[in-house]
Amino acid sequence: MSNSKKVILDSGIEIEKIYTEAKVEKEMPGQFPYTRGVHEGMYRDKPWTMRQYAGFSTAEASNERYHFLLNNGVTGLSVAFDLPTQIGYDSDDAMADGEVGKVGVAIDSLEDMERLFKGINLEKVSTSMTINASGFILLALYIALAKKQGADITKITGTIQNDILKEYAARGTYIYPPKQSMRLITDIFEYCSQEVSKWNTISISGYHIREAGSTAVEELAFTLANGKAYLQAAMEKKLDINVFAKRLSFFFNAHNHLFEEVAKFRAARRMWAHITKELGATDIEAQKLRFHTQTGGSTLTAQQPMNNIVRVTVQTLAATLGGTQSLHTNGFDEALSLPTEQAASIALRTQQIIAEESGICDTVDPFAGSYYIETLTNEVEEAAWKLIHKIDAMGGAVSAIEQGFMQEQIARSSYAYTKAIERNEKIIVGVNKYQSQEKNTTPIMKIDHAIQVEQIARLKLFKENRNQDLVKNCLEKIATQASGHENLMPLVIEAVEAHCTLGEIANTLRAVWGEYR
């Protein structure tokens, strides 16, 4: 009789020594509930979109990186914004001091947006923007720039993250109270379904929930619960689920346990199909969960950073074997700094090698029928449903966040994970096992303080050379509309075209709605 040790995942799911049978539904890819993929042919027909998340210092520097990535085979851009931009402050605001251009690119105005996308045809590139509380302003800037380029805005494609609930639960870059934030999101749903029909209006994000310390099951459950809340908010506004739900996408994390991650992605599709159907979606496109994946930033180590190339490769396999629609792979140096050009290039080549050389694209859902994967998919789903039912009993995701339920669960899981590493129950190579005393010589990227000085000088000039009466009029109209019920998006687009800045628009709404504390 074998005395092999017990293996229990962070999610609490026990892994058996061997699997000899599994409950397997005889479903096909592209058919409800889409466990095996949302498209019939998946990567045989079209590989996933290879995005690289990039943005730092000035718009010009970021634009240079975008051209480098596009010239090296990237098929979609993914924009990182600095912290002031994310929370609605112009670069000359006292709150922005010391943070301009540090963790992403500083965008204050339409002029900055023009520099960011110089030489890039917005009709021909898909752009993902990681922006939430101020997402409505960045979308307005993007639309205004597309119009200025002469693009047909019904043809522009991309995604704004726009997921404020996970900000309250895990990440913290919120501005307004939940009710007003949900209004902005449903305004975007409504506006885009009528005017920018190919744009994905939200990327419901489990990524940051996982980065904050959740388990894979919690990431899945909390993300889908938030998604359900967005569906319900839009339907309360009398929007048609068969129209707006087609433009919802998801954003998941990929960590190092290859099999648990694949099971999570397969379970996510199945669960979302049932959630949308139960809420009245009859159009199959409105029932499909489409998702972007990023490899796990929190799994990267500052110790022996080259090991991170292997971690990112495992996570890339998890995302693609799980059926992702697009993927960003992290640079090996990201535990130390923003990625250098070399690290970004290796990260992109990792995706390209797997797509071109591994055979993953040869057949749909290669793990289907595996006793282990099918059983694990069912167990991950069952555990996630238990959490969702608990959230439903609290009144839904917004109520669960207001009561601190999600935050507490994430904090507990994060603490348990850290303690397991400290007790050597969880091995992190190079950190608590196989350490080395070698000096780290990895080059890192540093953002000079001169970037802030330069950005503020430009912004000052921009503000001086505009029609001040027009700016004042646009901001007054936004303030008036904020107290009403009409859609704010047309007024915000008008405002950025009149050269109102991001901070001015955000502060106008702060004055009406207040800030969430």
Side-chain angles (χ1 to χ4, degrees):
M1 185 177 175
S2 172
N3 291 316
S4 59
K5 66 175 183 178
K6 270 192 172 186
V7 176
I8 299 175
L9 301 179
D10 298 334
S11 308
I13 295 169
E14 185 175 348
I15 301 302
E16 302 296 333
K17 180 186 172 185
I18 192 165
Y19 293 81
T20 58
E21 59 182 0
K23 182 185 175 186
V24 182
E25 303 296 337
K26 294 289 197 298
E27 65 178 75
M28 298 299 287
Q31 293 181 9
F32 185 90
Y34 314 109
T35 314
R36 301 195 61 192
V38 290
H39 303 298
E40 183 184 343
M42 288 300 288
Y43 307 144
R44 276 177 71 107
D45 296 340
K46 182 187 176 186
W48 61 91
T49 301
M50 297 181 194
R51 297 189 187 277
Q52 285 305 105
Y53 185 49
F56 55 93
S57 71
T58 62
E60 287 90 344
S62 296
N63 176 266
E64 191 177 314
R65 177 67 62 88
Y66 297 157
H67 280 286
F68 167 79
L69 291 168
L70 289 166
N71 290 336
N72 278 274
V74 152
T75 51
L77 297 176
S78 186
V79 183
F81 298 97
D82 73 356
L83 198 56
T85 304
Q86 291 181 49
I87 48 179
Y89 292 114
D90 284 337
S91 298
D92 60 358
D93 195 296
M95 292 293 287
D97 189 32
E99 287 293 339
V100 176
K102 287 287 174 71
V103 298
V105 63
I107 297 294
D108 298 316
S109 67
L110 183 56
E111 190 179 81
D112 287 336
M113 209 68 166
E114 287 183 78
R115 286 195 284 261
L116 185 66
F117 289 101
K118 186 178 179 183
I120 298 170
N121 186 333
L122 299 192
E123 243 187 66
K124 294 185 177 176
V125 68
S126 169
T127 304
S128 171
M129 295 189 280
T130 302
I131 197 78
N132 298 283
S134 57
F136 67 106
I137 306 173
L138 269 300
L139 177 59
L141 286 164
Y142 195 85
I143 291 168
L145 177 59
K147 287 163 71 176
K148 201 168 182 181
Q149 283 188 356
D152 178 352
I153 65 167
T154 65
K155 292 180 181 175
I156 62 170
T157 60
T159 307
I160 43 169
Q161 193 166 103
N162 197 32
D163 174 9
I164 204 65
L165 292 180
K166 67 93 177 47
E167 295 296 329
Y168 300 122
R171 190 162 174 264
T173 63
Y174 44 73
I175 303 174
Y176 312 112
K179 183 181 176 185
Q180 286 79 9
S181 294
M182 292 295 274
R183 176 195 168 174
L184 285 172
I185 287 167
T186 54
D187 277 1
I188 290 168
F189 287 177
E190 182 180 49
Y191 176 81
C192 289
S193 65
Q194 295 167 359
E195 305 292 338
V196 198
S197 56
K198 290 189 176 179
W199 192 267
N200 293 326
T201 51
I202 194 167
S203 177
I204 304 158
S205 175
Y207 184 85
H208 305 95
I209 290 169
R210 192 70 175 280
E211 289 293 286
S214 81
T215 66
V217 165
E218 287 164 347
E219 176 195 357
L220 174 57
F222 296 164
T223 305
L224 296 189
N226 288 346
K228 191 174 177 180
Y230 293 127
L231 291 177
Q232 290 166 330
M235 290 169 72
E236 284 168 13
K237 203 169 177 177
K238 308 300 181 193
L239 301 185
D240 184 352
I241 191 171
N242 284 315
V243 176
F244 76 81
K246 293 177 186 177
R247 302 320 315 171
L248 272 57
S249 66
F250 286 80
F251 174 25
F252 287 115
N253 209 316
H255 273 218
N256 289 328
H257 197 292
L258 175 69
F259 305 103
E260 184 180 33
E261 295 301 303
V262 172
K264 178 187 74 182
F265 298 135
R266 297 174 89 247
R269 279 192 293 272
R270 191 156 70 202
M271 293 172 74
W272 186 246
H274 286 292
I275 287 169
T276 51
K277 190 174 183 180
E278 284 167 14
L279 287 175
T282 53
D283 188 316
I284 61 169
E285 295 302 319
Q287 298 169 348
K288 292 179 179 179
L289 181 145
R290 294 163 298 114
F291 70 100
H292 170 72
T293 309
Q294 182 174 341
T295 56
S298 62
T299 69
L300 304 181
T301 64
Q303 300 91 334
Q304 302 176 26
M306 296 302 282
N307 293 349
N308 294 327
I309 296 173
V310 181
R311 292 186 177 100
V312 169
T313 303
V314 171
Q315 294 161 10
T316 301
L317 286 167
T320 52
L321 286 164
T324 194
Q325 273 60 68
S326 70
L327 177 63
H328 163 81
T329 34
N330 289 332
F332 66 83
D333 55 0
E334 288 189 52
L336 301 166
S337 71
L338 291 169
T340 59
E341 199 166 279
Q342 182 200 27
S345 181
I346 291 170
L348 175 60
R349 293 291 182 250
T350 301
Q351 292 198 53
Q352 291 167 335
I353 289 167
I354 285 174
E356 302 290 348
E357 299 182 24
S358 73
I360 276 180
C361 295
D362 293 350
T363 189
V364 179
D365 193 17
F367 274 162
S370 156
Y371 295 146
Y372 180 29
I373 287 294
E374 295 291 359
T375 301
L376 194 52
T377 299
N378 296 338
E379 289 175 343
V380 166
E381 179 182 6
E382 184 183 351
W385 277 127
K386 284 179 182 174
L387 278 172
I388 289 175
H389 295 327
K390 192 176 283 190
I391 290 165
D392 286 343
M394 292 178 180
V398 176
S399 180
I401 288 166
E402 288 173 342
Q403 293 175 50
F405 172 72
M406 289 191 195
Q407 298 93 310
E408 187 179 336
Q409 286 285 124
I410 293 166
R412 282 182 181 175
S413 295
S414 179
Y415 180 75
Y417 182 83
T418 303
K419 294 305 287 184
I421 293 171
E422 289 175 357
R423 291 192 296 262
N424 284 345
E425 293 166 5
K426 178 170 283 296
I427 300 303
I428 309 295
V429 172
V431 175
N432 61 355
K433 194 174 184 180
Y434 311 116
Q435 299 100 323
S436 70
Q437 300 305 313
E438 289 176 24
K439 189 178 178 184
N440 186 6
T441 57
T442 304
I444 62 173
M445 181 186 287
K446 292 182 179 178
I447 305 299
D448 197 290
H449 179 69
I451 296 299
Q452 177 171 313
V453 176
E454 179 187 339
Q455 183 69 13
I456 291 172
R458 279 179 168 173
L459 183 57
K460 183 173 183 285
L461 198 63
F462 176 81
K463 286 179 176 178
E464 286 171 355
N465 294 311
R466 59 183 185 174
N467 184 328
Q468 306 300 342
D469 290 334
L470 185 58
V471 167
K472 184 183 176 189
N473 181 255
C474 286
L475 295 175
E476 284 174 352
K477 283 199 284 186
I478 289 172
T480 301
Q481 194 75 282
S483 300
H485 301 286
E486 294 299 311
N487 197 307
L488 282 164
M489 278 304 296
L491 290 182
V492 177
I493 293 168
E494 182 186 340
V496 299
E497 289 176 329
H499 290 179
C500 296
T501 66
L502 172 132
E504 288 168 337
I505 295 167
N507 285 337
T508 297
L509 292 175
R510 274 188 179 96
V512 180
W513 292 340
E515 288 187 279
Y516 182 72
R517 300 291 182 190

